[in-house]
């Protein structure tokens, strides 16, 4: 069974997807990590990330594997290097590239084949797995999302204004929702979940009930 969780950055998708997968005994796929790994590969290769021919060459050359807890780029675990502000900022052209998205979708379908898995991203329920057994669209009030992100960064010792996070988040939302291929939109049959006033546990509890009700 495939479970998809789509929605904007900061709504708690990753934490919810990981916890839900754990409770169900399913595998978990963070597709954002895959976009990030391709971005890192492009930065390391020093290619122009907007050059579609160079991107095509890159995604056909690299090997990306997603064993539990790891992001293997040509055999190297790059998980510690993909969440930097530099990679986040550079991921835009990869996310809006048709050639990169096509390859990533192919990889994601290969990974999910024959498994019980929770796949988290932006278009998992619409483009990648339109026949998924249970689909969620997890969202939250923009200020609540920015506050969570702000608290995370402050806890890491970073100094950044809430306003700056809110502005960057607005830009990302607009970009994710507005692109032509694989835009972030809820699937017609997605269960809409607003996490603004829910704890992570409450979100996962609700998801688990919905999945178990459909799991044959
Ligand atoms: O969810 P995240 O912040 O780790 O995503 C990283 C980048 O990849 C971001 O630019 C959105 C993009 N992305 C996407 O376009 N499609 C997905 N399924 C997952 C992420």
């Amino acid at each position: 069974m495939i479970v998809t969780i789509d929605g904007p950055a900061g709504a708690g998708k990753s934490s919810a997807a990981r916890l839900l997968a754990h409770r169900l005994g399913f595998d978990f796929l963070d597709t954002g990590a895959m976009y990030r790994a391709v971005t890192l590969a492009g930065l390391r290769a020093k290619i122009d990330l907007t050059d579609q021919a160079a991107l095509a060459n890159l995604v056909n050359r690299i090997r990306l594997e997603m064993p539990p807890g790891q992001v293997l780029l040509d055999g190297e675990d790059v998980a510690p290097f993909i969440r930097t502000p530099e990679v986040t900022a550079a991921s835009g052209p990869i996310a809006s590239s048709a050639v990169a998205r096509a390859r990533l979708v192919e990889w994601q379908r290969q990974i999910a084949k024959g498994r019980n898995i929770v796949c988290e991203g932006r278009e998992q329920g619409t483009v990648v797995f339109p026949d998924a057994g249970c689909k969620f669209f997890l969202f939250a009030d923009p200020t609540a999302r920015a506050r969570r992100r702000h608290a995370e960064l402050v806890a890491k010792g970073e100094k950044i204004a809430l306003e700056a996070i809110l502005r960057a988040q607005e830009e990302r939302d607009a970009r994710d929702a507005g692109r032509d291929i694989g835009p972030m939109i809820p699937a017609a049959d997605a269960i809409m979940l607003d996490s603004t006033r829910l704890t992570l546990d409450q979100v996962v509890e609700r998801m688990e009930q919905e999945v178990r009700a459909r799991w044959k």
Side-chain angles (χ1 to χ4, degrees):
M1 180 177 189
I2 294 177
V3 175
T4 61
I5 305 180
D6 293 311
K13 289 191 311 287
S14 292
S15 314
R18 194 171 289 115
L19 200 55
L20 177 67
H22 179 74
R23 287 205 198 167
L24 294 166
F26 281 26
D27 290 326
F28 157 64
L29 182 64
D30 172 356
T31 62
M34 299 176 75
Y35 282 84
R36 290 171 177 277
V38 171
T39 306
L40 181 71
L43 290 172
R44 283 180 172 178
K46 296 191 171 29
I47 62 164
D48 172 358
L49 296 180
T50 64
D51 178 342
Q52 299 306 303
L55 269 187
N57 186 285
L58 180 79
V59 293
N60 286 319
R61 182 159 43 88
I62 60 174
R63 190 162 43 92
L64 191 55
E65 293 158 296
M66 303 290 291
Q70 288 188 315
V71 179
L72 298 182
L73 174 62
D74 293 325
E76 174 197 354
D77 185 11
V78 294
F81 315 120
I82 58 173
R83 311 222 171 260
T84 63
E86 190 195 6
V87 171
T88 304
S91 69
I94 309 286
S96 52
S97 155
V99 66
R101 295 203 77 89
R103 189 82 181 96
L104 279 148
V105 168
E106 203 175 284
W107 276 327
Q108 289 158 18
R109 289 184 182 145
Q110 274 168 15
I111 290 170
K113 206 167 179 181
R115 288 177 147 166
N116 286 327
I117 191 165
V118 178
C119 297
E120 174 253 306
R122 303 290 191 288
E123 47 23 319
Q124 298 296 293
T126 48
V127 175
V128 189
F129 304 108
D131 300 326
C134 192
K135 303 177 184 179
F136 297 99
F137 193 86
L138 186 64
F139 61 102
D141 176 84
T143 314
R145 286 158 48 207
R147 284 217 180 94
R148 282 181 202 155
R149 182 83 189 117
H150 187 246
E152 270 170 27
L153 291 172
V154 169
K156 278 192 203 160
E158 287 183 40
K159 284 200 182 77
I160 183 160
L162 180 64
E163 260 308 302
I165 294 175
L166 202 51
R167 258 197 319 273
Q169 180 181 277
E170 274 166 12
E171 278 170 28
R172 273 178 86 188
D173 285 356
R175 195 185 70 201
D176 281 341
R179 67 172 163 251
D180 292 334
I181 338 138
M184 174 185 71
I185 37 161
D189 52 352
I191 297 160
M192 303 296 289
L193 269 181
D194 182 350
S195 71
T196 310
R197 283 173 196 81
L198 298 178
T199 63
L200 174 61
D201 247 10
Q202 289 170 323
V203 169
V204 176
E205 187 65 40
R206 171 78 199 286
M207 287 179 163
E208 188 180 352
Q209 283 170 8
E210 298 283 1
V211 175
R212 290 200 187 276
R214 289 166 179 78
W215 191 10
K216 290 167 208 96

